[in-house]
Structures are given as structure tokens and as C-alpha cells.
Amino acid sequence: MTYDRLDPDIMPNLIEPDTERLRLRQWRPEDRAPFAAINANPEVMEFFPRTLTRDDSDASAEAFEGMIVTSGWGFWAAESKVEHAFIGFVGIKPVPDDLAFAGAVEVGWRLARPYWGRGLATEGARAALRVAFEQLGLNEVVSFTAEGNRRSRAVMDRLGLRHVADFGHPRLPPDHALHRHSLYRVTVQEFGSQRGTH
Ligand SMILES: CC(C)(COP(=O)(O)OP(=O)(O)OC[C@H]1O[C@@H](n2cnc3c(N)ncnc32)[C@H](O)[C@@H]1OP(=O)(O)O)[C@@H](O)C(=O)NCCC(=O)NCCS
């Protein structure tokens, strides 16, 4: 079952998951500047074709915010409960139409550099997967990243996603260093059988 075949009657209005250390919430105007700083950082954007301009970053935040308005879920703004600061995004959203596995929902993340190495991406993504499986009733969730993105692939491993395929990204030419991507997947049964670990 994919997200667009969900019964609208069971769709909640606005989902904003909470974890021990994170609040995943709707985007606010004051998130735009720190999000632009994250997207302008070459280390954060190492596995993307380029860093983002302020306009591109704002457009991206606006798109994420719009999806949460219409669906109640998406790539949420992630706020640290400890520092009370916006630290990036974590969430779930439909796979872009130009990818072979479009129709599925992906789990994704991007955090400001000072917040790496604390388990926050995994903690937030686990809450996002719980929404996907327990509130939206999805059967599976995917994730993908450039083959060389070791940190992101480690998050997928920690979450219990399985590496199922490699593919060439259709928006990047075959000779581009980031062309090759790895696809991961977790089913509701696999996620459920991890119970006790999340
Ligand atoms: C991908 C990304 C979110 C990973 O962040 P991360 O902090 O490495 O991932 P996690 O949240 O799972 O944290 C795990 C690390 O925190 C450590 N850690 C510290 N305290 C922890 C705790 N309380 N619980 C769990 N892990 C903890 C773990 O040991 C691990 O350390 P290691 O990297 O030395 O092995 C981050 O690198 C990023 O934003 N990258 C840029 C954007 C990007 O590439 N996004 C994906 C594109 S598809």
C-alpha cells in the first residue's frame, strides 16, 4: 500500500512527533535562516550536487511546510529540546516522481554539523517510522542516498532498513561522482520485530 491509497478518514490533521530529545514540528519563519546556514555548509551538503542558495533553501522549507499543511506529515523541522534550537529536518515524504520506486514513502534527515554524533538523526527517524507504520498504516518505507554517504547509510542500518538495490540517480549524469545511489527498505513487519529497541 502506498501513501496515496490511504483512507482519508483515518488521516489525522497534524502530526508532530516528540522524542526524548527532539520535537518534530511544523516549520516556522524563524527556521529559515538556520536552515539556510545548514544548506550552505559544504560538509553537510557533501553528498548533494551543490550547496543551496538562500532562495533555494527557503523554497525547500516552504515545500516541506506546505506538505505538512496538506498531509499532516512530511519532512518536519527538528528542534532540540535541550538547546531549544532548530537543528535541521527529519521526516517522511513521498519519493520524487522521477525515481523508479516513486509511490513509496521515504524517511530522510539533514542536521546541522554540531548536532551530528549524538544519535539525534536515528532518534528522530525512528519516531518518523513509527508515524509511517502505526499512524499512516504504510506497509513499507524506503530511504536512499549517494553510495558514499557512509553516515547516512549508518543511520539506515541502525534503523533496521535493509540495503536492497543500487541505482543511478536520473537527475545526475552517469559520470557524476554522486550518480550511484543505494536504496534501503524496511517493512512494517521488520520494524515491528525490532520492538523493544525503539
Ligand atoms: C546523515 C546524518 C543525519 C547522520 O548524523 P549522525 O549524527 O551521524 O547519526 P545518528 O543520529 O545516528 O548518530 C550516530 C552517532 O552518534 C553517536 N551517539 C552519541 N550519543 C548517542 C546516543 N545517545 N544515542 C545514539 N547514538 C549516540 C553514535 O555512537 C554515532 O557515532 P559515530 O558517528 O561516531 O558512529 C548527518 O551526517 C547529516 O545531517 N548529514 C548531511 C545530510 C545528509 O547527508 N542527509 C542524508 C542524505 S540522503
Side-chain angles (χ1 to χ4, degrees), residues 5-193:
R5 278 180 253 138
L6 288 169
D7 179 349
D9 291 342
I10 64 164
M11 291 292 284
N13 285 332
L14 173 64
I15 305 175
E16 293 185 311
D18 227 31
T19 73
E20 193 186 331
R21 296 176 294 171
L22 291 178
R23 185 158 293 133
L24 302 183
R25 57 157 175 77
Q26 178 55 296
W27 292 73
R28 296 178 188 155
E30 59 267 32
D31 301 330
R32 300 282 170 107
F35 190 46
I38 292 170
N39 290 324
N41 181 333
E43 193 180 359
V44 173
M45 300 304 279
E46 180 181 356
F47 296 102
F48 294 86
R50 65 194 75 81
T51 54
L52 300 188
T53 63
R54 175 69 198 245
D55 282 353
D56 289 344
S57 177
D58 285 355
S60 177
E62 200 176 318
F64 296 158
E65 182 179 342
M67 164 150 189
I68 295 171
V69 167
T70 55
S71 306
W73 51 279
F75 275 179
W76 289 282
E79 183 179 311
S80 160
K81 288 183 175 177
V82 181
E83 283 97 347
H84 301 287
F86 169 87
I87 67 163
F89 72 75
V90 179
I92 44 175
K93 78 170 181 58
V95 167
D97 286 342
D98 58 350
L99 298 184
F101 43 96
V105 166
E106 65 167 302
V107 58
W109 38 72
R110 189 181 307 157
L111 299 186
R113 183 63 185 92
Y115 297 93
W116 296 8
R118 302 196 202 173
L120 292 170
T122 298
E123 182 174 314
R126 213 164 255 148
L129 287 174
R130 245 181 265 127
V131 170
F133 292 128
E134 295 171 12
Q135 290 186 253
L136 305 180
L138 299 181
N139 286 333
E140 64 169 37
V141 171
V142 301
S143 195
F144 55 94
T145 191
E147 270 182 352
N149 193 344
R150 183 188 54 80
R151 281 181 177 276
S152 199
R153 295 180 66 164
V155 176
M156 296 173 198
D157 288 334
R158 280 191 279 272
L159 291 167
L161 278 80
R162 278 176 299 111
H163 179 201
V164 289
D166 295 314
F167 66 99
H169 201 293
R171 265 170 273 147
L172 295 171
D175 60 348
H176 193 286
L178 301 176
H179 180 69
R180 297 300 305 166
H181 273 58
S182 296
L183 174 67
Y184 285 67
R185 174 179 291 137
V186 64
T187 64
V188 62
Q189 289 84 6
E190 289 163 345
F191 187 70
S193 67

